[in-house]
Amino acid sequence: METHDVVIVGGRLAGSAAAAALARAGKDVVVLERGKLPSDTLSTHVLFSAGIEEVRRMGALDDLLALDPSYMRGIQLHMGDDVTVRERWSPEGETDYVLCVPRTIQDVVLADAARRAGADVREGSEMLDVLWEGGRAAGVRYRDADGEVRDVRCRLVLGADGRRSTVAARVGAWRPYRGSLNGRGLVFRYLDDPQAGTELNETLMQWRDGTSFCMVFPSAPRPRTVALVMGPAADVPRARKDPEGTWAEFLRRHPGFAERIAGATNVGKLRSTNDVSAYFRPSSGPGWALIGDAGHFKDPVIGQGQRDALWMGRTAGEAAAAAIEDPAALDAALRRWEQLRDEECLAAYHLANAETRIAPQPPALVEIARRAQGRGAPDLSDLFQRTRTQQEVLTVPRLVGGAVGAMARRPRQALSILRASVPDLRTDLAVRAEARAGRFRSTRVVTGSEHPGWTWPAAPARRDVATPASSAGITSSSGSGASSARVPVPASVAVAAPTPSSPTTEVPA
């Protein structure tokens, strides 16, 4: 049987980043990617500066820039009819721009970087099961590109296989212990930018009209551009039933957005999803860990998924590489990494939950944006960049000042503005309190941030396949090698029953 240090299931963002980090550290790494690259995956593609720096660390940035992307040097934010904020980005490392590269071409660059670092990336390889020995994940069973079922032993299994992670299902971490229902859906298309060669082609633009967000992301290769509408999730079924009629309705509803893309050519088909509930899963256990969307996902309204997937992959790979020889030290290192991940992503999780609410923009926020007009220096744009957290940008005095200013501007509506502002301030204080508490794998819901009503599908079914003759001495996850445990789930969350034979991680009370 093959034996390696690490098997990574999934070879896109998180998987490639982890593979590169581990291989550079001298570890023997195999990556099993189900698809054959290039292939598409649903994504809004935005890489803010911190994400670009992760690509640089992988040694893939030169190849990414060779794809001829547009460089978004700043942001233009429209809040209704009379507030427009224009800002440049805060730099992150050597980067002061934002990119939007289609996954069909970006993922090839990242996988190639992992290969150059020394990882064995096997495309067309579908993971089937986790193998167990002595209560630890000890390898995986997979079907290779030729259809043959193979077993591979390893010290560590990393699941980088997305929201519907088979690894999560097989190690018993399928059910998130915390989550939030999305209010928004995504409807987007590619087109050739009619403003190619102008300053607008170097600007990320967003309109907040009524209850919808519209965005334009100049993409790659130039002049390709993404035009995106994030309105109520109910827009998605209508867009699938009547794509062009619904798109025409969006353009009528959002005149600034319509003007920006007027005259576009080479217009692609509409793509959409309304299945984007946010969550945290238990993401480390004996001999295994989950990275990228497999372990944590936040609403895509803030465009942070790619950056976080790359960051998770790299940092998990670095943590594992330093402890791979000692099983106990490896498990402890990955548990510390998981807690670090939660600390890194918690503020953005709450920010995304706020942004996915279907409601007019809070009057206090509109007033804050009004006061930020004309400055040009990075300020509100730091929320997009994650240079600072929401709590650092929108301080309590600033929120209170925005609410007072909005009431002074519209005195007849002062009472309704106050009523709208108080719950938001209460939620903000609760988010700050949670960050200070630092509870690991907490199932406590922050009222006003996390939205109830989300459900979770059944885990991927286990397939019956013949056991390779080389697998004596280890068991699949349906056997006795897997440990059983409990993952706490809030009573308000509806989830599918766990697969009876699937193990789960021990979680402290």
Side-chain angles (χ1 to χ4, degrees), residues 17 21 54 310-320 334 337 340-341:
E54 293 294 341
L310 292 164
W311 179 88
M312 285 185 229
R314 174 181 62 83
T315 54
E318 291 170 349
L334 288 171
W337 166 82
L340 176 64
R341 179 209 65 183

Side-chain angles (χ1 to χ4, degrees), residues 64-350:
L64 195 68
L65 298 181
L67 299 174
D68 191 28
S70 295
Y71 292 69
M72 289 176 273
R73 305 287 183 179
I75 183 172
Q76 191 173 119
L77 175 62
H78 300 265
M79 303 277 277
D81 296 331
D82 61 342
V83 177
T84 299
V85 179
R86 297 178 178 86
E87 293 180 5
R88 61 182 181 273
W89 304 112
S90 291
E92 178 78 20
E94 301 177 36
T95 306
D96 62 355
Y97 55 87
V98 172
L99 298 177
C100 174
V101 181
R103 298 292 297 274
T104 49
I105 53 180
Q106 176 181 271
D107 290 355
V108 173
V109 166
L110 300 182
D112 285 348
R115 287 186 172 105
R116 287 198 302 273
D120 178 3
V121 181
R122 303 177 184 178
E123 299 176 28
S125 298
E126 180 186 11
M127 181 267 194
L128 301 171
D129 222 335
V130 172
L131 307 177
W132 297 85
E133 187 172 28
R136 297 182 59 79
V140 301
R141 179 165 297 159
Y142 78 102
R143 180 177 286 107
D144 67 17
D146 296 324
E148 184 174 348
V149 175
R150 297 178 175 273
D151 284 358
V152 182
R153 294 186 66 130
C154 61
R155 301 174 188 268
L156 173 65
V157 176
L158 282 179
D161 49 341
R163 293 185 299 150
R164 302 295 183 254
S165 169
T166 302
V167 176
R170 299 298 178 259
V171 301
W174 174 253
R175 302 194 316 169
Y177 60 85
R178 185 172 187 173
S180 178
L181 180 68
N182 60 292
R184 299 188 182 278
L186 297 84
V187 181
F188 68 95
R189 71 193 329 163
Y190 277 87
L191 46 82
D192 282 356
D193 193 352
Q195 299 295 332
T198 72
E199 184 178 352
L200 291 179
N201 190 242
E202 296 186 346
T203 305
L204 188 160
M205 300 185 72
Q206 184 182 97
W207 293 262
R208 299 185 173 213
D209 299 328
T211 60
S212 294
F213 296 170
C214 300
M215 308 176 204
V216 171
F217 307 131
S219 185
R222 288 180 284 189
R224 294 304 277 169
T225 293
V226 176
L228 167 69
V229 178
M230 297 191 72
D235 284 348
V236 171
R238 294 192 300 109
R240 291 175 176 172
K241 183 177 181 180
D242 179 14
E244 297 309 321
T246 305
W247 189 256
E249 177 191 328
F250 291 159
L251 297 181
R252 289 193 299 270
R253 191 191 305 168
H254 306 291
F257 175 66
E259 181 181 359
R260 170 61 180 84
I261 61 175
T265 56
N266 193 18
V267 177
K269 68 178 182 180
L270 284 191
R271 302 195 64 188
S272 60
T273 182
N274 56 5
D275 178 20
V276 287
S277 290
Y279 57 82
F280 285 93
R281 276 182 174 129
S283 296
S284 63
W288 62 268
L290 304 177
I291 56 179
D293 290 351
H296 164 64
F297 180 81
K298 63 185 70 64
D299 195 288
V301 65
I302 60 171
Q304 295 295 326
Q306 288 204 106
R307 179 268 177 191
D308 280 351
L310 292 164
W311 179 88
M312 285 185 229
R314 174 181 62 83
T315 54
E318 291 170 349
I324 197 75
E325 307 294 333
D326 182 337
L330 176 63
D331 294 349
L334 288 171
R335 194 168 180 84
R336 288 192 297 271
W337 166 82
E338 183 188 350
Q339 187 163 10
L340 176 64
R341 179 209 65 183
D342 289 2
E343 293 170 358
E344 175 74 15
C345 296
L346 187 62
Y349 168 78
H350 285 302

Side-chain angles (χ1 to χ4, degrees), residues 405-484:
M407 288 187 288
R409 188 176 300 278
R410 292 182 287 172
R412 293 184 178 181
Q413 301 175 33
L415 184 58
S416 64
I417 291 172
L418 180 62
R419 287 173 175 166
S421 299
V422 168
D424 286 345
L425 183 58
R426 187 182 299 120
T427 299
D428 181 78
L429 293 174
V431 170
R432 293 171 190 269
E434 181 181 32
R436 287 193 301 270
R439 294 183 292 265
F440 181 46
R441 292 190 183 177
S442 172
T443 60
R444 299 186 186 185
V445 172
V446 175
T447 304
S449 171
E450 289 160 293
H451 315 305
W454 64 284
T455 59
W456 206 246
R462 182 175 287 106
R463 301 186 187 183
D464 293 327
V465 295
T467 301
S470 60
S471 298
I474 61 177
T475 62
S476 73
S477 54
S478 58
S480 59
S483 61
S484 126

Side-chain angles (χ1 to χ4, degrees), residues 4-6 19 21-30 117-119 317 320-325:
H4 304 275
D5 289 325
V6 183
L22 285 157
R24 282 198 303 268
K27 308 309 173 185
D28 180 4
V29 184
V30 169
I324 197 75
E325 307 294 333

